């Protein structure tokens, strides 16, 4: 509610300020006066306006053909000050379409006893910049800071500046030709009364938001109320789960106590169980060792008769191994030669292949370059000239020099008109220069596009021939290097001394030498077996003693196991009982956890419903406040800011003074033929509007729409001049109204005035506006009207479509 009260209070204060429109004298140093405008690369002003466009007289006419760029001067002013114009106000037009890179618009003006210059544009890279000077000193700041500073200096924003400074032709036509409701919109625009419509829109927007919130809050309240009624049932469920969890916790505690007692007895029996397992494992190990020992004894007894045959076999193996080792030496030597021979043969083949590739590539490149030379020479024969670029440029320079010389002599002959001797000498020199110029021109006529192609093709031929020569030299050097490398490798291969016929012998020896590892392994096994047979008797005695010791250990293990059998049976019973109790504990824990989860969920549901209950209470309290705010916004939208409210009140305050001033203006513009104007508001179907009634020559009141085109122009101008005077007389109110001492009239629709007298009266009225404005500037395409003004700016357009402006009077 505090925000709403601030909004209402601020709007009421703005309404009072906008209605404080009493006239007061303008101080000599108060108000903005535009002194000069400069453009470059702006719209069609591609070149810099040099000198800048100035308005040295109180009354100035900007004249020129339609479309030449007269209104662009106004756009340059608003673009420099506000980065906006009639062009950029169109959504489809971007800044880059009206300002080129390195383009700008600059405006100089006086305000409050100081001189300011504001320049805005794009640099060479297309980035925006803004500069502000006060009495020749640059003011620092970012672009947003400088833009705020400009509005502070001018005292108006873009819309306020346009309405106070520019009288545009379309506004004058709308005042007279539009319907009453449209005419009211023009008044709202000129006097910035659309603020109230925006306030009405803001009030409606806020009202819609509050109504949406009321609807949403009411719906949410109903939903919450349906849920909160289940709160007692949810509390009962939670109590039931609490009792169930307590019972299940007691049952789990009983199982854990029984399990603890059984675990103590089980731990005490684990020592006897471990002794039982160790004894049984030891007995199994002794049994396996005894069986292995008996097997070995049997093998030893059967191997005592094989000793003589084993010794003879070893002798044969040793002789065979010695012969194989000698052959192994021969194989290594042959392999080394064969390896070197193979590597060198491979390198020779690769070098010979590179040599063949180099010869083929050189031939291919030379053929291609010779073909390019032939093509270029053939193109030369098709050209229409044999003149090169250097010769052509020389002729052109000579032609320019001779033209300059002939022109210079013409000037000198004018300067020396009274000195006949010098004139005769200059005449002869001029005649010689003209003959020379004619000779050169005959030659330069032969300069065509083929002249440049001729030099280009000649340069191409020279370049290709130089490349061909370089390629031949390089390919010859490469072939010599590869040939020398092949010969060098062939000599190295011959020095190896490997005969290809020895390959078969190498293969045979390799097959025999491959048997050497197997023969050596057979000899090693025979030697081990012989060594083992040498100590067979001692081994048999030791193994008998081991057998007896193992049999004694087995008897002791059997006695120990017999004493531990009863303890082992009890251990297994305890283990089984523990497994059963662990299962009971796990099941009881699982059941308890499930019940605790259900209890937690029930408590959370209770908590959620309790929070929803608090939320419901808050929503119901907020709903009453929202309904009160909706009532206030409804009053603002439908009663205060509506057109039938403060807007029409403001218009009715303005119309009496405008009616008086419009009547005076119309009397001046029509030379007394039309004397009285009546401005009144009225209600029409669908809304409100402003009606313009004019007393005709018949003494009756008529709507402005029934008058002729020229008469409507006079009526429209009378009203628009009255509005301009009223705006200039208003006190400074924020950035809505401000003192302006410069007035631009864009076109003014003078072409519809059907008599010379009407135009004279129109211009005379403009001159009377000088009592309220220091500068009055008319934009018109009518030369006869512009000639009446002491100051004139002429705008033209070149055949290339470029606008030019110059101050001519």
């Amino acid at each position: 509610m505090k925000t709403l009260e601030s909004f209402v209070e601020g709007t009421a204060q703005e309404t009072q300020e906008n209605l404080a429109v009493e006239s007061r004298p303008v101080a000599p140093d108060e108000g903005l006066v535009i002194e000069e405008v400069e453009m470059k690369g702006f719209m069609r002003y591609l070149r810099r306006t040099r000198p800048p466009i100035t308005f040295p007289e109180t009354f100035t006419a900007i004249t020129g053909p339609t479309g030449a760029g007269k209104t662009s001067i106004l756009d340059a002013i608003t673009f420099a000050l506000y980065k906006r114009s009639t062009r950029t106000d169109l959504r489809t037009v971007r800044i880059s379409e009206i300002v080129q890179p390195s383009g700008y618009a600059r405006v100089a003006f006086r305000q409050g006893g100081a001189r300011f210059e504001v320049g805005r544009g794009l640099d060479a890279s297309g980035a925006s910049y803004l500069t502000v000077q006060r009495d020749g000193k640059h003011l620092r700041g970012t672009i947003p800071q400088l833009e705020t500073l400009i509005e502070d200096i001018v005292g108006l924003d873009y819309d306020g500046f346009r309405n106070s400074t520019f009288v545009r032709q379309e506004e004058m036509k709308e005042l007279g030709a539009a319907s009453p409701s449209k005419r009211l919109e023009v008044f709202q625009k000129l006097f910035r009364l659309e603020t109230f419509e925006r306030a009405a829109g803001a009030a409606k927007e806020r009202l819609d938001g509050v109504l949406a919130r009321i609807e949403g809050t009411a719906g949410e309240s109903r939903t919450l109320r349906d849920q909160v009624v289940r709160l007692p049932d949810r509390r009962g469920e939670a109590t039931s789960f609490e009792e169930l969890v307590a019972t299940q916790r007691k049952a789990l505690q009983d199982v854990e106590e029984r399990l603890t007692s059984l675990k103590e007895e089980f731990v005490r029996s684990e020592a006897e169980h471990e002794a039982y397992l160790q004894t049984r494992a030891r007995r199994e190990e002794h049994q396996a060792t005894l069986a292995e020992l008996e097997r070995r004894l049997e093998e030893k007894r059967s191997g005592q008769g094989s000793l003589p045959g084993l010794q003879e076999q070893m002798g044969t193996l040793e002789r065979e191994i010695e012969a194989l080792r000698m052959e192994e030496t021969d194989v290594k030597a042959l392999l080394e030669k064969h390896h070197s021979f193979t590597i060198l043969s491979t390198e020779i083949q690769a070098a010979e292949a590179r040599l063949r590739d180099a010869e083929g590539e050189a031939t291919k490149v030379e053929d291609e370059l010779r073909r390019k030379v032939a093509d270029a020479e053939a193109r030369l024969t098709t050209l229409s000239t044999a003149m090169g670029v250097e010769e052509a440029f020389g002729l052109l320079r000579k032609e320019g020099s001779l033209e300059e010389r002939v022109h210079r002599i013409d000037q000198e002959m004018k300067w020396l008109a009274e000195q006949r001797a010098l004139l005769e000498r200059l005449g002869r020199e001029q005649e010689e220069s003209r003959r020379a110029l004619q000779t050169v021109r005959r030659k330069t006529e032969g300069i065509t596009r083929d002249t440049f192609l001729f030099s280009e093709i000649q340069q191409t031929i020279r370049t290709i021939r130089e490349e061909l020569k370089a390629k031949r030299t390089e390919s010859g050097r490469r072939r010599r290097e590869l040939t020398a490398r092949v010969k060098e490798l062939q000599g190295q291969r011959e020095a190896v001394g490997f005969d290809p016929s020895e390959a078969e012998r190498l293969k045979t020896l390799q097959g025999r030498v491959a048997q050497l590892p197997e023969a050596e392994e057979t000899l090693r096994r025979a030697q081990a077996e012989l060594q083992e047979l040498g100590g067979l008797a001692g081994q048999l005695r030791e193994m008998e003693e081991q057998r007896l010791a193992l049999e004694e250990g087995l008897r002791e293990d059997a006695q120990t196991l017999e004493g531990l059998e009863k303890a082992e049976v009890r251990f297994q019973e305890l283990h089984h009982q523990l497994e059963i109790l662990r299962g009971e504990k796990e099941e009881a824990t699982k059941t308890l956890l499930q019940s605790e989860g259900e209890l937690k969920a029930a408590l959370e549901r209770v908590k959620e419903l309790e929070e929803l209950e608090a939320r419901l209470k808050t929503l119901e309290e907020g709903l009453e406040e929202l309904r009160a705010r909706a009532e206030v916004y409804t009053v603002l939208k439908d009663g205060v800011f509506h057109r039938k409210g403060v807007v029409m009140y403001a218009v009715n305050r303005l119309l009496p003074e405008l009616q008086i001033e419009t009547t005076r203006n119309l009397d001046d513009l029509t030379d007394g033929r039309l004397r009285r104007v009546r401005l009144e508001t009225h209600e029409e179907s669908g809304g409100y509007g402003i009606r313009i009634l004019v007393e005709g020559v018949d003494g009756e009141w008529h709507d402005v729409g029934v008058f002729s085109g020229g008469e409507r122009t006079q009526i429209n101008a009378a009203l628009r001049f009255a509005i301009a005077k009223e705006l200039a007389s208003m006190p400074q109110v924020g950035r809505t109204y401000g003192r302006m001492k410069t007035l631009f009239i864009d076109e003014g629709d003078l072409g519809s005035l059907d008599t010379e007298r009407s135009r004279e009266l129109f211009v005379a009225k403009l001159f009377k506006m000088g009592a309220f404005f220091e500068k009055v500037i008319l934009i018109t395409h009518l030369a006869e009207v512009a000639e009446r003004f002491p100051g004139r700016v002429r705008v033209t357009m070149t055949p290339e479509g470029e606008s030019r402006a110059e101050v001519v009077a």
Side-chain angles (χ1 to χ4, degrees), residues 360-372:
E361 181 65 22
T363 301
K364 181 179 178 181
V365 170
E366 290 179 7
D367 290 344
E368 178 64 19
L369 291 175
R370 281 195 293 270
R371 184 189 62 77
K372 288 183 178 180

Side-chain angles (χ1 to χ4, degrees), residues 441-701:
R441 280 178 176 169
R442 284 194 297 271
K443 293 181 179 180
T444 56
E445 288 174 356
I447 299 174
T448 64
R449 182 174 177 272
D450 288 350
T451 301
F452 300 93
L453 289 176
F454 185 86
S455 295
E456 181 182 347
I457 293 171
Q458 281 188 326
Q459 180 60 36
T460 300
I461 292 172
R462 287 193 294 270
T463 302
I464 294 173
R465 284 175 174 169
E466 290 174 359
E467 184 180 356
L468 177 60
K469 181 179 178 181
K471 290 290 184 181
R472 285 173 176 170
T473 302
E474 175 62 21
S475 62
R477 181 190 63 78
R478 179 63 176 158
R479 288 196 294 270
R480 288 193 298 273
E481 290 178 353
L482 291 173
T483 302
R485 179 58 178 164
V486 170
K487 292 180 180 179
E488 178 185 354
L489 292 172
Q490 288 174 345
Q492 291 177 3
R493 186 175 65 179
E494 291 175 359
V496 170
F498 180 79
D499 189 350
S501 62
E502 292 180 295
E504 188 63 31
R505 177 171 172 266
L506 174 61
K507 184 176 180 182
T508 302
L509 289 176
Q510 285 177 324
R512 293 180 59 188
V513 169
Q515 302 172 6
L516 180 59
E518 183 179 356
E520 290 177 337
E521 178 61 24
T522 303
L523 177 61
R524 186 189 63 75
R525 288 197 301 270
Q527 289 173 341
E529 188 176 354
L530 179 62
Q531 183 178 2
E532 185 178 357
L533 289 175
L536 185 59
Q539 292 177 7
L540 288 173
R541 285 193 300 273
E542 291 177 0
M543 292 172 71
E544 285 291 341
E545 292 174 357
Q546 291 176 9
R547 186 175 63 79
L548 293 173
L550 286 171
E551 289 175 349
E552 179 63 25
L554 285 172
R555 285 191 293 274
E556 292 177 356
D557 291 339
Q559 293 175 358
T560 302
L561 287 173
E562 185 178 355
L564 293 172
E565 283 290 343
K566 186 176 180 180
E568 179 63 21
V569 172
R570 179 57 182 162
F571 175 84
Q572 295 299 332
E573 291 176 353
L574 291 171
H575 183 268
H576 179 66
Q577 293 175 7
L578 279 173
E579 290 297 322
I580 293 173
L581 282 176
R582 287 192 181 103
E584 292 179 3
K585 179 184 177 182
E586 182 179 354
E587 185 63 28
T589 302
K590 181 178 178 181
T591 303
L592 176 61
L593 290 174
Q594 182 176 356
S595 297
E596 287 177 340
E598 292 176 347
L599 172 60
K600 182 179 179 181
L603 292 174
E604 288 178 352
R605 287 194 292 271
V606 170
K607 182 180 179 181
E608 288 174 358
L609 289 176
E610 289 174 345
E611 292 174 350
L612 290 178
E613 187 177 34
R615 171 67 178 162
L616 176 60
K617 183 178 179 181
T618 303
L619 287 175
E620 290 174 344
E621 293 173 353
L623 197 57
E624 292 301 319
E625 182 181 354
L626 286 173
R627 290 188 177 117
R629 292 175 65 183
E631 184 177 353
V632 172
Y633 285 134
T634 301
V635 172
L636 289 175
K637 177 179 76 72
D638 296 334
V640 177
F641 296 129
H642 194 268
R643 278 192 177 184
K644 66 183 179 182
V646 70
V647 175
M648 294 306 297
Y649 174 73
V651 171
N652 285 323
R653 286 285 303 275
L654 290 168
L655 289 184
E657 189 68 29
L658 289 176
Q659 179 175 301
I660 295 171
E661 186 62 28
T662 303
T663 298
R664 292 193 192 117
N665 294 340
L666 185 60
D667 184 61
D668 292 340
L669 289 171
T670 63
D671 203 12
R673 195 170 65 86
L674 300 177
R675 296 178 176 274
R676 299 175 62 193
V677 177
R678 191 165 70 204
L679 304 176
E680 59 185 27
T681 60
H682 78 291
E683 186 173 356
E684 57 184 11
S685 59
Y688 294 83
I690 296 178
R691 189 158 48 197
I692 302 176
L693 300 175
V694 181
E695 185 181 20
V697 295
D698 57 358
E700 300 293 330
W701 292 94

Side-chain angles (χ1 to χ4, degrees), residues 205-364:
E205 183 178 347
R206 295 188 184 186
L207 175 61
D208 293 342
V210 170
L211 292 176
R213 289 178 61 188
I214 289 174
E215 183 178 357
T217 303
E220 186 179 356
S221 298
R222 289 191 296 271
T223 302
L224 292 180
R225 196 175 296 108
D226 293 340
Q227 297 178 18
V228 169
V229 295
R230 298 195 294 270
L231 182 57
D233 295 337
R234 293 290 180 260
R235 285 175 176 158
E237 290 178 2
T239 302
S240 298
F241 279 120
E242 287 175 346
E243 295 172 353
L244 178 61
V245 167
T247 301
Q248 291 176 347
R249 283 177 180 167
K250 182 64 173 63
L252 178 60
Q253 185 180 358
D254 293 342
V255 173
E256 288 177 341
E257 290 175 355
R258 289 161 51 202
L259 184 60
T260 300
S261 176
L262 193 60
K263 280 182 178 180
E264 292 175 355
E265 184 179 358
F266 182 78
V267 170
R268 288 194 297 272
S269 67
E270 278 184 331
E272 293 176 334
H273 172 67
E274 185 66 27
Y276 175 81
L277 293 178
Q278 291 177 358
T279 302
R280 191 170 68 175
R282 188 171 59 249
R283 187 183 67 172
E284 292 173 354
E285 182 181 353
H286 287 168
Q287 288 173 344
T289 304
L290 180 59
E292 175 64 18
L293 186 60
E294 289 176 346
R295 185 189 64 76
R296 289 175 60 199
L297 279 170
E298 184 63 29
E299 288 180 354
K300 296 295 182 183
R301 292 190 185 102
S302 64
Q304 286 180 329
S306 60
L307 185 58
L310 185 60
Q311 290 175 341
E312 182 179 356
Q313 180 186 3
M314 287 177 59
T316 303
L317 286 171
E318 288 174 349
R319 289 190 294 275
E320 183 179 350
I321 288 171
E322 181 65 23
L324 288 174
R325 284 176 177 165
M326 292 177 64
E327 291 178 349
E328 184 180 29
T329 303
D330 293 341
V331 167
K332 290 180 179 178
L334 285 172
L335 280 175
E336 185 176 351
K337 286 185 177 182
H338 180 263
H339 181 67
S340 299
F341 183 85
T342 302
I343 290 175
L344 290 170
S345 297
T346 302
E347 291 184 357
I348 290 171
Q349 291 175 358
E352 289 174 342
R354 288 196 297 273
L355 178 59
R356 288 193 298 273
D357 291 344
E359 290 174 346
E361 181 65 22
T363 301
K364 181 179 178 181

Side-chain angles (χ1 to χ4, degrees), residues 39 45 53 62-75 87 744 746-747 778-782 793-796 803:
M39 295 171 281
Y45 287 87
I53 302 170
I62 300 176
T63 183
T66 301
K70 301 185 296 298
T71 305
S72 297
I73 298 174
L74 306 187
D75 290 327
R87 306 297 198 279
F744 285 91
D746 187 6
E747 291 296 343
L778 172 67
I779 296 176
T780 180
H781 63 280
L782 301 176
V793 176
R794 183 170 58 204
V795 177
T796 58
S803 296

Side-chain angles (χ1 to χ4, degrees), residues 72-87:
S72 297
I73 298 174
L74 306 187
D75 290 327
I77 295 172
T78 58
F79 177 78
L81 295 176
Y82 301 102
K83 199 180 180 179
R84 293 180 61 183
S85 68
T86 56
R87 306 297 198 279

